[in-house]
Amino acid sequence: MTDFISQHTAPPRRIGRFSKMAVTVSLICATALLSGCNTMRRLSEVGEPPKLSGINNPTQSPGYRPVSMPMPAPQVAENNPNSLWRTGARSFFKDQRASQVGDILTVSIAIDDKAQLANTTARTRKNTEDMGVPSLLGLESQITKVLPETVNPANLFNINSNTSNSGGGTLDRTETIDLKVAAIIVQILPNGNYVIHGRQEIRVNSEVREVQVAGVIRAADITSTNTVSYDKIAEARISYGGRGTISDVQQPRYGSEIMDILLPF
């Protein structure tokens, strides 16, 4: 009987070992997938500076979506064949400002923000509650039959609570960015506003600095020098960052990021 039991209990142990091995392999594969293309890109650039992205049509990127916004009623333009003046022109001869899809204009980004906030909160609360049943249609005498005899019906509950909260926070932030980026008109909305998109990459040694700007501007906000300020851009999306050896050192490992997301403490 002992031999019979041992013969039939051995396979589950082997299956358990295989299951543990399968779980381990699955975890390794999942970890490799989490690192994704970023790991392959970094491995392909070992010993070489980061590669610059190719110049592509932004409207052909997988994540591009045409902008759709509420539009006013269309206005019919009047043509004046005998007039040298053109509607919207700032010169009798030629308007140098960007006005067509594919035209280039310069976006001036000058951000100098400072924020200082201080907040202090203090709250104290003290509660005392007493409850008893000294008289309840004569039924108060029955309480001693259910509860111990030492219970006093006139003082059944006595609850005290004391809460005290104190919090304080301070925020001191300074941001300064001063640069210019060339952008392209990628779409003209029905009301004449322009959708712009610009991207600039600068490589210094093994670090790539990337600047992106996108949004919607009015034709009237484009100056005579074919520039527009960032504060004139509606739905502005401005990104200034980098990638390379320095950014990789500053970026926490993906394992640490996953643990920061999953751990509740």
Side-chain angles (χ1 to χ4, degrees):
M1 179 64 69
T2 304
D3 295 337
F4 178 79
I5 295 175
S6 61
Q7 291 177 359
H8 287 77
T9 54
R13 291 175 188 165
R14 291 196 295 269
I15 293 175
R17 295 192 188 99
F18 289 132
S19 299
K20 293 180 181 179
M21 184 178 297
V23 172
T24 304
V25 173
S26 300
L27 291 176
I28 295 174
C29 295
T31 304
L33 291 175
L34 287 174
S35 59
C37 298
N38 186 41
T39 301
M40 300 303 297
R41 177 185 63 80
R42 293 173 58 189
L43 290 176
S44 65
E45 295 177 352
V46 172
E48 298 181 359
K51 297 179 181 179
L52 297 177
S53 302
I55 300 176
N56 300 319
N57 184 355
T59 61
Q60 300 299 324
S61 61
Y64 176 79
R65 296 291 183 273
V67 177
S68 178
M69 301 184 68
M71 294 291 107
Q75 298 180 0
V76 180
E78 297 181 1
N79 296 325
N80 298 318
N82 297 327
S83 176
L84 296 176
W85 181 260
R86 293 181 292 114
T87 303
R90 304 190 64 175
S91 172
F92 279 107
F93 303 101
K94 186 177 182 181
D95 191 354
Q96 300 293 335
R97 299 178 302 171
S99 60
Q100 301 295 330
V101 174
D103 288 353
I104 299 175
L105 72 158
T106 302
V107 179
S108 299
I109 304 174
I111 301 175
D112 189 4
D113 291 341
K114 294 182 180 180
Q116 293 182 350
L117 300 175
N119 188 10
T120 302
T121 303
R123 183 179 65 178
T124 302
R125 181 177 181 179
K126 184 175 182 180
N127 297 327
T128 301
E129 297 181 3
D130 295 327
M131 186 178 72
V133 187
S135 178
L136 183 62
L137 301 177
L139 298 177
E140 67 278 1
S141 59
Q142 302 297 322
I143 296 178
T144 56
K145 297 181 180 180
V146 179
L147 298 176
E149 297 181 356
T150 57
V151 173
N152 184 6
N155 190 16
L156 288 177
F157 296 98
N158 188 355
I159 302 174
N160 295 323
S161 64
N162 190 357
T163 303
S164 178
N165 295 325
S166 179
T170 302
L171 174 64
D172 189 355
R173 184 186 66 188
T174 302
E175 296 177 351
T176 302
I177 300 176
D178 189 1
L179 53 88
K180 297 181 184 295
V181 182
I184 300 176
I185 298 177
V186 296
Q187 185 182 352
I188 299 179
L189 299 178
N191 66 341
N193 289 342
Y194 301 151
V195 180
I196 63 173
H197 182 275
R199 182 175 179 178
Q200 183 183 85
E201 292 185 358
I202 304 171
R203 185 177 67 192
V204 180
N205 296 330
S206 296
E207 187 73 13
V208 175
R209 284 298 172 189
E210 185 179 40
V211 183
Q212 294 191 48
V213 60
V216 182
I217 63 172
R218 298 188 309 165
D221 290 330
I222 303 176
T223 65
S224 58
T225 58
N226 198 36
T227 61
V228 62
S229 177
Y230 81 98
D231 55 355
K232 304 294 184 182
I233 304 177
E235 295 297 321
R237 301 293 184 269
I238 301 174
S239 174
Y240 180 78
R243 65 180 189 274
T245 56
I246 298 177
S247 298
D248 289 340
V249 173
Q250 295 176 340
Q251 182 72 19
R253 302 294 88 185
Y254 59 85
S256 299
E257 293 182 354
I258 295 174
M259 295 301 290
D260 289 340
I261 295 173
L262 298 179
L263 291 178
F265 47 83

